[in-house]
Amino acid sequence: MLTVVSEKTIALVTGANKGIGYEIAAGLGARGWSIGVGARDEQRRQDAVAKLRATGADAFGVPLDVTDDESVTAAVQLIKERAGRLDVLVNNAGAVGSWPQEPTTTDLETVRRLVETNVIGVIRVTNTMLPLLRRSAHPRIVNQSSHVGSLTLQTTPGVDLGGISGGYAPTKTYLNAITIQYAKELSGTNILINNACPGYVATDLNGFSGTRTPEQGAAIAIRLATLPDDGPTGQLFDDNGVVPW
């Protein structure tokens, strides 16, 4: 198994059992990659893997809760035993909370949960997976961010990002900031790390009120996951190009 799988590009997509994450996994799987479907819910994870395999994708399940140290460590061991390395990590798992979220009335436990998932979870998974990524010839890290995390867009008159967000939006700003620091630290390596903005996608996180499909939302993450060696790093992108911080 190790010999066969190691000839393919190995990717892990967190939160890949549904929505944008599933479509990212499907898009990478269609390229002949071996795709780890990271998800907490066992049944949904199994269903997603079965659905991907039915399309011909080489998909395998990875039990993964990004907020749990032991879960992430076990995921690393699973990928290590299966492939010996990791070529691409897509940090897609995230939480939204209620919307709008006025900061004067936002529940502090909600804020803690959002930071734990959207920021600390990304740091936890990235740092734990780094030894496997360093074994790759062309390692890529893609973090799922959002336009609402852009301070420039948030303060531009006339730009509507969906109202006040005292919880979710700041976590994406934090994610953008930490990605910049990762890019600085990893600048002397072959690891490219970027953030993706999928746009306003209809998923269960927003009550399916978005205007884009999950497949459309997945496109930019797929593009960043497949960057050439001389591609950009430490930036935020949507389908139209670079998004200002």
Side-chain angles (χ1 to χ4, degrees), residues 131-176:
L132 292 182
L133 286 163
R134 293 184 188 279
R135 296 182 180 184
S136 171
H138 311 283
R140 306 287 180 264
I141 301 173
V142 182
N143 298 327
Q144 197 72 278
S145 187
S146 171
H147 288 128
V148 300
S150 167
L151 294 177
T152 297
L153 295 181
Q154 284 280 8
T155 55
T156 298
V159 174
D160 181 12
L161 296 178
I164 298 172
S165 173
Y168 175 74
T171 67
K172 293 305 182 179
T173 305
Y174 190 171
L175 178 61
N176 290 345

Side-chain angles (χ1 to χ4, degrees), residues 217-243:
I220 183 59
I222 293 171
R223 189 194 316 171
L224 295 175
T226 57
L227 285 174
D229 290 342
D230 61 351
T233 191
Q235 297 187 62
L236 171 63
F237 293 89
D238 64 11
D239 286 345
N240 297 316
V242 177
V243 177

Side-chain angles (χ1 to χ4, degrees), residues 61-73:
V62 181
L64 181 59
D65 180 350
V66 303
T67 68
D68 183 84
D69 288 338
E70 291 185 2
S71 175
V72 175
T73 299

Side-chain angles (χ1 to χ4, degrees), residues 16-33:
N17 61 291
K18 60 182 179 178
I20 300 171
Y22 175 85
E23 294 300 338
I24 294 172
L28 297 178
R31 286 163 169 73
W33 293 15

Side-chain angles (χ1 to χ4, degrees), residues 8 45 49-51 78 116 138 140 144 158 199 233 238:
K8 296 184 177 183
R45 183 177 64 250
V49 170
K51 185 178 177 181
L78 186 156
E116 180 64 42
H138 311 283
R140 306 287 180 264
Q144 197 72 278
T233 191
D238 64 11

Side-chain angles (χ1 to χ4, degrees), residues 1-142:
M1 174 66 74
L2 179 60
T3 302
V4 174
V5 174
S6 64
E7 295 175 354
K8 296 184 177 183
T9 299
I10 313 298
L12 170 65
V13 183
T14 68
N17 61 291
K18 60 182 179 178
I20 300 171
Y22 175 85
E23 294 300 338
I24 294 172
L28 297 178
R31 286 163 169 73
W33 293 15
S34 183
I35 307 299
V37 177
R40 293 180 300 176
D41 187 280
E42 182 177 359
Q43 189 60 57
R44 290 181 176 178
R45 183 177 64 250
Q46 291 177 351
D47 291 346
V49 170
K51 185 178 177 181
L52 288 166
R53 287 179 177 172
T55 68
D58 179 13
F60 61 97
V62 181
L64 181 59
D65 180 350
V66 303
T67 68
D68 183 84
D69 288 338
E70 291 185 2
S71 175
V72 175
T73 299
V76 170
Q77 187 61 29
L78 186 156
I79 295 172
K80 181 179 180 181
E81 293 176 356
R82 180 182 177 87
R85 69 169 197 283
L86 182 64
D87 299 301
V88 174
L89 170 62
V90 181
N91 287 305
N92 170 76
V96 176
S98 61
W99 197 287
Q101 299 166 325
E102 290 81 2
T104 57
T105 57
T106 296
D107 177 66
L108 292 182
E109 285 305 315
T110 297
V111 174
R112 289 189 183 97
R113 179 175 62 86
L114 294 175
V115 172
E116 180 64 42
T117 302
N118 298 346
V119 182
I120 297 176
V122 171
I123 297 172
R124 176 182 289 110
V125 174
T126 300
N127 289 354
T128 312
M129 293 288 172
L130 264 176
L132 292 182
L133 286 163
R134 293 184 188 279
R135 296 182 180 184
S136 171
H138 311 283
R140 306 287 180 264
I141 301 173
V142 182

